Amino acid sequence: MIRIKICGLRRKADILGVNHLDINDVGFVFADSPRQIDEKIAAGLREKLRPDIDAVGVFVNEAPEKIIGLVKNGIIQKIQLHGDEDDEYIRNLKREMNCPIVKAVRVQSADTVLRAQRLGADLLLLDTYVKNMRGGSGRSFDLKHVPEMETPWYMAGGLTPENVTERLRMRIPYGVDISSGVETNGYKDMKKIEKFTAMIRAFEKTRSGKEDER
Ligand SMILES: O=C(O)c1ccccc1NCC(=O)[C@H](O)[C@H](O)COP(=O)(O)O
């Protein structure tokens, strides 16, 4: 099953909406962004979120103590790093707690991905390089730059309900991640999230049907 992550949720209505859908992760953006939320809001949203959905904290060069506090208080269940965090930063976080770490890579070449695989993160999130933007750009990158992957990875960057099937035909990741592509006027749009989720689950069904025919 491909994991589905919807990033940048910030309203109670967003949480109540996704609780009815077949999704696996939601992203809470603590980094500087129009989607940024603070710890208090995140705690309230986590309380309302279905227990089997992971809340992923999204950070850019954050003080480790803040991340550790959010994990220990049960507000986030995964950590997603979008800054210049290196292997030492990741090792230090791992020493403090047992929480999966996702390192975001803004893909410019296969080499950028290969190097990121050596940082010791549990998962990678492959996103688009856009100057002066750390994430949430709504722009796609060329999947030909993705090498054979050893680390499980989320496909991100400019996904939409309309293009996700075509992108999945090119590469099958561990998970898919979307933000701008399920928004209208800067807010999450439940109809778009439903369509995105349905497209992925339908893709999986056709794929398993084809495998059964073999
Ligand atoms: O979404 C943001 O505003 C953001 C800001 C700073 C760092 C990371 C951010 N988002 C991380 C995500 O996981 C996004 O879903 C990912 O970049 C894909 O975004 P999009 O291309 O808009 O689907």
Side-chain angles (χ1 to χ4, degrees):
M1 191 194 72
I2 297 171
R3 279 187 86 89
I4 301 180
K5 170 170 172 270
I6 311 293
C7 197
L9 302 196
R10 52 200 167 106
R11 301 175 301 175
K12 185 177 146 194
D14 300 335
I15 300 293
L16 298 181
V18 297
N19 278 346
H20 294 292
L21 301 178
D22 185 9
I23 67 144
N24 312 99
D25 304 290
V26 298
F28 292 159
V29 178
F30 294 94
D32 190 17
S33 158
R35 305 180 179 98
Q36 185 183 49
I37 58 173
D38 63 21
E39 179 164 352
K40 193 165 166 229
I41 292 177
L45 296 180
R46 172 66 267 185
E47 257 181 39
K48 299 207 160 33
L49 187 64
R50 217 173 65 213
D52 64 299
I53 299 177
D54 283 349
V56 184
V58 176
F59 305 96
V60 174
N61 299 329
E62 187 57 79
E65 303 72 47
K66 174 166 171 180
I67 300 180
I68 293 163
L70 288 162
V71 173
K72 294 203 166 152
N73 290 331
I75 298 170
I76 59 171
Q77 289 69 50
K78 283 195 187 95
I79 300 164
Q80 185 174 312
L81 306 171
H82 278 255
D84 309 304
E85 302 88 359
D86 59 10
D87 52 345
E88 193 187 345
Y89 181 102
I90 291 174
R91 246 194 332 272
N92 286 340
L93 278 181
K94 286 198 156 288
R95 206 172 291 135
E96 291 294 328
M97 75 220 146
N98 183 18
C99 178
I101 298 183
V102 186
K103 180 72 181 91
V105 188
R106 295 183 298 157
V107 179
Q108 289 178 283
S109 64
D111 199 46
T112 49
V113 183
L114 292 171
R115 267 187 278 128
Q117 289 202 110
R118 289 183 224 122
L119 292 174
D122 302 286
L123 300 140
L124 294 179
L125 181 138
L126 304 188
D127 204 346
T128 308
Y129 176 82
V130 178
K131 201 172 174 211
N132 300 325
M133 279 194 91
R134 292 298 190 158
S137 70
R139 308 256 293 269
S140 305
F141 67 91
D142 193 338
L143 286 168
K144 77 168 189 249
H145 293 309
V146 180
E148 276 299 305
M149 296 293 290
E150 281 164 22
T151 311
W153 60 289
Y154 286 89
M155 182 189 286
L159 289 178
T160 65
E162 289 72 32
N163 72 11
V164 68
T165 306
E166 187 195 333
R167 307 261 309 155
L168 288 174
R169 282 198 196 110
M170 292 186 237
R171 291 297 293 266
I172 307 285
Y174 162 84
V176 290
D177 167 279
I178 188 166
S179 189
S180 319
V182 286
E183 286 178 347
T184 299
N185 300 327
Y187 290 97
K188 289 292 174 287
D189 180 326
M190 214 40 68
K191 287 264 166 296
K192 291 184 182 176
I193 298 178
E194 277 170 24
K195 187 166 176 205
F196 182 73
T197 305
M199 295 306 285
I200 294 153
R201 297 306 178 217
F203 171 80
E204 288 176 317
K205 276 206 184 113
T206 23
R207 212 171 141 248
S208 73
K210 276 187 191 141
E211 271 166 23
D212 290 347
E213 281 169 22
R214 282 191 202 146

